[in-house]
Amino acid sequence: MFGLQNFNMEKIVTPRLDLPLLQFPRSRKPTLIPSPSLNRYVRLKQRGFETEIYAETESHGVKMSNTVGRKLLGLAAAAAVAVSSSICCDSPALAESITIAFPVSRAREVTEVQRTLVEAWGLIRETFVDPTFNHQDWDSKLQQTMVEMFPLRSADAAYGKIKAMLSTLGDPFTRIISPKEYQSFRIGSDGNLQGVGLFINSEPRTGHLVVMSCIEGSPADRAGIHEGEELVEINGQKLDGIDSEAAAQKLRGRVGTFVKVKLKSVNGSHIREVKLPRDYIKLSPISSTIIPHTTSDGRLAKTGYVKLTAFSQTAASDMEHAVHEMENQNVQSYILDLRNNPGGLVKAGLDVAQLWLDGDETLVYTIDRDGVTSPINMINGHAVTHDPLVVLVNEGSASASEILAGALHDNGRAVLVGRRTYGKGKIQSVTELDDGSALFVTVAKYLSPSLHEIDQVGITPDVQCTTDKIDSLTGEILMKMNSSVPLLEADSCVMVAEHELETRQSNGAAS
């Protein structure tokens, strides 16, 4: 007889101040799935965000206990301290027990994935934005997936079953990622890593790994590594067929250790080897510069250009620092570039919006799984600057980028220039699971302050422009980088933005 896994889940929901928008609707009735007699089982008990796992073997009388504190790391809709929001939960008496019995795999690594499956299933059951789960019985889906896992012998195959189960929800943004992938996600959102400070990307035509840039002051920068050089070896291993993420993993490592890299020059004339020490690297999603130009009436003007590549935890503070520096240099207008910014922490997007807005403006509306629409408002906001603002967007501007662009546009603060945005109007929570993997769950939808639909629609800018892909290392771009022509001045959308700013200033338009 095969073993069985018995899960008893007791859910007690209490308000959490650090999760102002997370709402746990009343759970459905408890479900009991019959099982034959047990000779081995695991009991999973959940209270709030703490998980206690007990494994018991009847024949040996052994009991193991492991308590895990699961921390919700990136609830996308969490509002900033200065943003008003509300918690809507049922009374503390809300609780539920579910007992479910399933066959336990004889492969230990598969048994571990079965536990991960139950964690993921439970989180989705309580928080997924669609309470019908794409018009299917979610409890039966757990039973089906458990049974399909039983004969498997590898963790990879078992994880495949979890991913298949999640795919039935019809939401590509609700997904599970491996511990390694989650580590990379944390690096991107936290803004810190241990490595050498290289940004690399795979060249689309050849698949070669090309240096995009070096972080200022990093080991790679100090070694004189240049944009456009090709990375050909890491610690003696050729990189043919290796993608940029795998190469980045090889470059990272403990501070004080070293890594050897071979680089081919931009013109391909020679290859050099460099030994780089690994160090603490602070990633800033912000780059900025001042664009001097002459207006139509002959005046010398300064436009502050700020490029935001991702909404990490440091995005708002880094942007505030950049804007303050440019204000001290008498900048008269600003261009905020959100092109190809795929989003990130929505809280960071709300924080950035508050740098540009005053008062009690609505930043975004959220719609929960019960269809309740709620505003997220500023409270007594004070903008860092009131200078005219243009926001650049394109089809690569998604999620938090669209929330920010919508907040600035609908509140009359900015003109949008570029192309229609991606159209991702869904908000995900991110939860680290017991095995180090992470589950992304769509917990809400959002609308712009003017109640415009964004999901699968996007935001249409006020002024259209063609997009020059300034971040792709084509021969033409490399030539411009090595010429006297500043790259931004060759960007058609930046030129359109400058024209819009000059027009608004000459007309005395408020921003």
Side-chain angles (χ1 to χ4, degrees):
M1 177 183 290
F2 48 72
L4 292 169
Q5 196 154 345
N6 184 20
F7 294 91
N8 180 274
M9 302 182 67
E10 183 181 55
K11 304 287 290 186
I12 296 179
V13 179
T14 55
R16 289 277 302 274
L17 294 180
D18 56 331
L19 305 177
L21 294 178
L22 186 58
Q23 181 175 3
F24 290 90
R26 183 175 300 281
S27 301
R28 296 187 295 166
K29 293 180 179 180
T31 302
L32 180 65
I33 300 178
S35 65
S37 60
L38 303 178
N39 56 20
R40 189 156 71 101
Y41 66 93
V42 174
R43 188 165 69 108
L44 178 71
K45 179 181 179 184
Q46 292 188 329
R47 286 182 177 270
F49 288 94
E50 290 188 352
T51 305
E52 295 176 16
I53 301 176
Y54 300 92
E56 297 185 9
T57 304
E58 188 176 78
S59 58
H60 295 91
V62 178
K63 183 174 183 179
M64 297 173 291
S65 175
N66 180 31
T67 301
V68 181
R70 285 207 316 255
K71 182 180 180 183
L72 187 66
L73 295 167
L75 177 65
V81 174
V83 175
S84 65
S85 59
S86 62
I87 305 173
C88 181
C89 295
D90 292 332
S91 69
L94 171 61
E96 176 182 26
S97 292
I98 308 171
T99 301
I100 307 170
F102 291 103
V104 175
S105 171
R106 296 187 185 280
R108 181 182 180 86
E109 58 184 283
V110 175
T111 301
E112 295 300 318
V113 180
Q114 286 180 309
R115 297 179 181 180
T116 301
L117 167 64
V118 173
E119 279 191 282
W121 169 85
L123 284 165
I124 290 168
R125 190 176 191 271
E126 295 296 331
T127 64
F128 186 57
V129 67
D130 176 9
T132 73
F133 307 103
N134 199 22
H135 307 285
Q136 63 180 328
D137 187 329
W138 191 238
D139 297 345
S140 295
K141 182 60 67 174
L142 172 65
Q143 181 183 24
Q144 174 190 335
T145 306
M146 274 288 191
V147 171
E148 289 175 354
M149 272 191 187
F150 175 70
L152 303 178
R153 291 293 177 264
S154 74
D156 287 344
Y159 269 108
K161 292 298 181 183
I162 296 181
K163 292 177 180 179
M165 181 184 78
L166 299 184
S167 70
T168 66
L169 294 169
D171 174 33
F173 305 110
T174 295
R175 66 196 191 279
I176 191 169
I177 61 174
S178 69
K180 279 189 176 181
E181 291 171 315
Y182 182 51
Q183 183 184 21
S184 295
F185 171 83
R186 287 288 305 274
I187 289 169
S189 60
D190 292 350
N192 293 283
L193 62 82
Q194 297 179 48
V196 298
L198 270 180
F199 283 113
I200 56 176
N201 195 27
S202 179
E203 211 285 327
R205 294 170 299 173
T206 63
H208 295 165
L209 296 176
V210 177
V211 175
M212 301 293 292
S213 63
C214 299
I215 295 173
E216 185 177 355
S218 68
D221 182 45
R222 296 195 299 267
I225 295 177
H226 302 294
E227 295 90 343
E229 289 189 275
E230 181 187 341
L231 190 62
V232 294
E233 281 188 17
I234 299 177
N235 284 335
Q237 180 183 353
K238 293 188 180 299
L239 300 178
D240 298 335
I242 293 180
D243 61 27
S244 57
E245 178 54 36
Q249 290 281 358
K250 295 178 184 298
L251 292 172
R252 298 173 193 146
R254 186 166 48 85
V255 169
T257 60
F258 290 83
V259 59
K260 289 182 180 180
V261 298
K262 280 189 179 179
L263 299 142
K264 183 184 291 186
S265 62
V266 175
N267 59 17
S269 61
H270 67 278
I271 293 177
R272 63 186 176 119
E273 183 174 84
V274 182
K275 184 178 181 181
L276 300 171
R278 293 184 174 102
D279 202 347
Y280 291 108
I281 306 295
K282 178 175 171 56
L283 298 175
S284 175
I286 295 288
S287 57
S288 61
T289 191
I290 294 176
I291 305 174
H293 58 96
T294 304
T295 64
S296 56
D297 59 1
R299 292 182 295 107
L300 182 64
K302 295 179 180 179
T303 297
Y305 171 86
V306 185
K307 172 76 173 176
L308 179 60
T309 58
F311 290 88
S312 68
Q313 292 181 7
T314 65
S317 59
D318 288 351
M319 180 171 290
E320 183 174 15
H321 176 73
V323 173
H324 274 305
E325 282 197 340
M326 288 188 283
E327 284 290 291
N328 291 335
Q329 298 181 59
N330 299 316
V331 163
Q332 293 98 24
S333 58
Y334 287 90
I335 298 171
L336 173 56
D337 194 345
L338 300 179
R339 290 175 298 175
N340 299 317
N341 181 330
L345 303 177
V346 175
K347 179 185 181 303
L350 300 177
D351 289 344
V352 170
Q354 293 179 88
L355 300 177
W356 302 94
L357 292 168
D358 288 320
D360 303 322
E361 305 287 6
T362 296
L363 301 178
V364 71
Y365 285 91
T366 63
I367 307 175
D368 66 17
R369 65 188 279 169
D370 294 322
V372 177
T373 301
S374 305
I376 299 178
N377 298 324
M378 294 173 55
I379 299 177
N380 195 28
H382 297 282
V384 174
T385 177
H386 297 92
D387 292 332
L389 173 66
V390 166
V391 177
L392 298 180
V393 294
N394 67 359
E395 59 278 3
S397 307
S399 192
S401 287
E402 293 171 294
I403 288 179
L404 175 58
L408 297 178
H409 177 267
D410 289 3
N411 285 298
R413 181 64 180 90
V415 174
L416 301 186
V417 170
R419 297 167 64 90
R420 184 189 295 269
T421 62
Y422 181 85
K424 180 179 180 289
K426 294 177 178 177
I427 297 173
Q428 285 74 45
S429 64
V430 185
T431 307
E432 182 177 4
L433 303 180
D434 186 31
D435 66 348
S437 61
L439 181 70
F440 292 69
V441 181
T442 296
V443 295
K445 297 179 181 179
Y446 63 81
L447 305 174
S448 76
S450 296
L451 296 175
H452 291 150
E453 185 77 39
I454 294 175
D455 195 47
Q456 300 184 43
V457 177
I459 299 174
T460 301
D462 301 295
V463 182
Q464 299 278 340
C465 75
T466 58
T467 302
D468 291 337
K469 297 183 178 179
I470 61 174
D471 56 347
S472 65
L473 292 176
T474 61
E476 180 184 359
I477 294 299
L478 285 172
M479 182 178 68
K480 288 178 181 177
M481 291 174 67
N482 294 319
S483 72
S484 59
V485 179
L487 192 59
L488 287 176
E489 291 184 12
D491 185 324
S492 62
C493 290
V494 170
M495 290 190 287
V496 172
E498 288 182 295
H499 174 74
E500 287 297 315
L501 289 169
E502 184 177 344
T503 299
R504 288 169 66 84
Q505 288 175 296
S506 62
N507 293 339
S511 48

